[in-house]
């Protein structure tokens, strides 16, 4: 699915996957793999929903444009978190 909605991020996905499996092996824990799955399911959920992806990109643009002292920066950051929370809830059922 990632290849379909955000193919430019496949290398990042693979690097994260490799790091998660290495950490899981080193710590004898499935937690790094679980966190990897949630992260990337959230990313895919954002990208597969055009309205959500547009909101996220607009918020990121604001967060990267405004100075941290500008109240619009906090608004943009809050919107980024709201989009991620919405996407994460959709994939985890929370």
């Amino acid at each position: 699915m990632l290849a379909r909605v955000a193919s430019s991020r496949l290398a990042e996905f693979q690097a994260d996957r490799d790091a998660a499996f290495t950490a899981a092996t080193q710590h004898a824990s499935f937690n790094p793999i679980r966190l990897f799955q949630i992260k990337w399911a959230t990313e895919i959920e954002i990208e597969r929903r055009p309205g959500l992806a547009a909101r996220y990109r607009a918020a990121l643009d604001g967060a990267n444009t405004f100075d941290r002292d500008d109240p619009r920066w906090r608004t943009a950051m809050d919107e980024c978190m709201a989009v991620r929370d919405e996407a994460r809830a959709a994939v985890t059922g929370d």
Side-chain angles (χ1 to χ4, degrees):
M1 178 61 99
L2 181 65
R4 209 173 332 156
V5 298
S7 61
S8 64
R9 297 192 65 195
L10 284 172
E12 180 187 357
F13 170 87
Q14 291 169 336
D16 278 0
R17 180 199 60 204
D18 293 348
F21 277 85
T22 298
T25 301
Q26 289 173 341
H27 301 290
S29 170
F30 285 110
N31 200 41
I33 296 168
R34 185 180 67 78
L35 295 174
F36 161 80
Q37 289 174 322
I38 292 170
K39 173 189 175 177
W40 283 97
T42 300
E43 297 293 334
I44 291 167
E45 183 67 14
I46 291 169
E47 292 299 327
R48 73 175 199 83
R49 294 171 50 190
L52 201 59
R55 277 177 54 205
Y56 192 59
R57 285 195 231 342
L60 280 176
D61 184 50
N64 290 319
T65 302
F66 302 125
D67 186 73
R68 287 184 175 214
D69 295 330
D70 187 327
R72 295 175 294 176
W73 180 84
R74 173 51 40 206
T75 300
M77 291 300 292
D78 289 346
E79 179 66 1
C80 285
M81 292 306 298
V83 168
R84 294 191 71 69
D85 289 347
E86 182 179 332
R88 185 175 176 161
V91 300
T92 63
D94 293 341

